[in-house]
Amino acid sequence: MNKIWRLIFFLLMAFIGISEAEAKINIFPQPRYIPPLSFYGDSGKAYRLYDFKADLLMAVMWSRRCGPCISEMKNLNEFAKKTAKKGIKVILISPEKEWKSIDERHTFLKRIGAPDLVSYLDKKANFADGMGMRVTPTVFLVNHNSEEVGQITGSVKWDDTDVLDYMLKFKEEVSEKLNQNKSAE
């Protein structure tokens, strides 16, 4: 009986989340410093956002208990494949406490259509708390200098060509700003 109530609660929360999860994008006027917060790979190795060099890094905070997160994973997987060679890197970070094992996490990602996305763990929510994250999904947008340049909160239609075009254009603008700042120095 307890399992049934948990399932009902999960479905109710997923429905509420899906109905209220319109994406909001916040592009910062100036890049922000990112504290050296760690998250962990499958081997237990600690990573920080500055370990990933890309023109634009998209660090997606998600939860297996988040309906909007799950519903967008397949499209996010395809988005990541389309943009990987164009300077955009997508990584996933989820709470460690949600997973019993690495295999469980990988099987879950495969089942929801995101087998190609590299996934990391946030131990004790230190990364999410340190970044000030309040809702999942949240995407932290990070430039090549490992500075936060924006955030996207809520669910995004990653399969929409307008979203793809916007993100590629945004990546170009971020790269141009970095180049202009280097030239001015």
Side-chain angles (χ1 to χ4, degrees), residues 23-35:
K24 293 178 179 80
I25 188 161
N26 182 13
I27 303 303
F28 307 141
Q30 295 297 318
R32 295 181 179 178
Y33 167 78
I34 297 174

Side-chain angles (χ1 to χ4, degrees), residues 32-112:
R32 295 181 179 178
Y33 167 78
I34 297 174
L37 302 163
S38 296
F39 47 92
Y40 298 85
D42 290 347
S43 69
K45 179 181 175 187
Y47 291 89
R48 294 188 174 103
L49 291 177
Y50 59 73
D51 291 325
F52 300 87
K53 294 299 177 191
D55 292 336
L56 182 64
L57 173 66
M58 295 174 48
V60 180
M61 295 296 300
W62 74 289
S63 169
R64 77 183 293 172
R65 292 172 177 86
C66 164
C69 299
I70 293 167
S71 67
E72 73 180 23
M73 279 296 169
K74 183 176 181 179
N75 293 331
L76 181 61
N77 190 77
E78 292 305 311
F79 174 89
K81 290 192 314 189
K82 289 178 185 175
T83 59
K85 292 183 181 178
K86 297 178 180 178
I88 297 177
K89 179 163 186 63
V90 178
I91 63 171
L92 301 176
I93 306 170
S94 66
E96 178 186 45
K97 67 183 178 186
E98 292 185 344
W99 308 106
K100 293 177 185 169
S101 69
I102 295 166
D103 289 338
E104 178 189 33
R105 183 168 30 103
H106 289 286
T107 300
F108 186 82
L109 286 169
K110 186 175 183 179
R111 186 168 52 84
I112 63 172

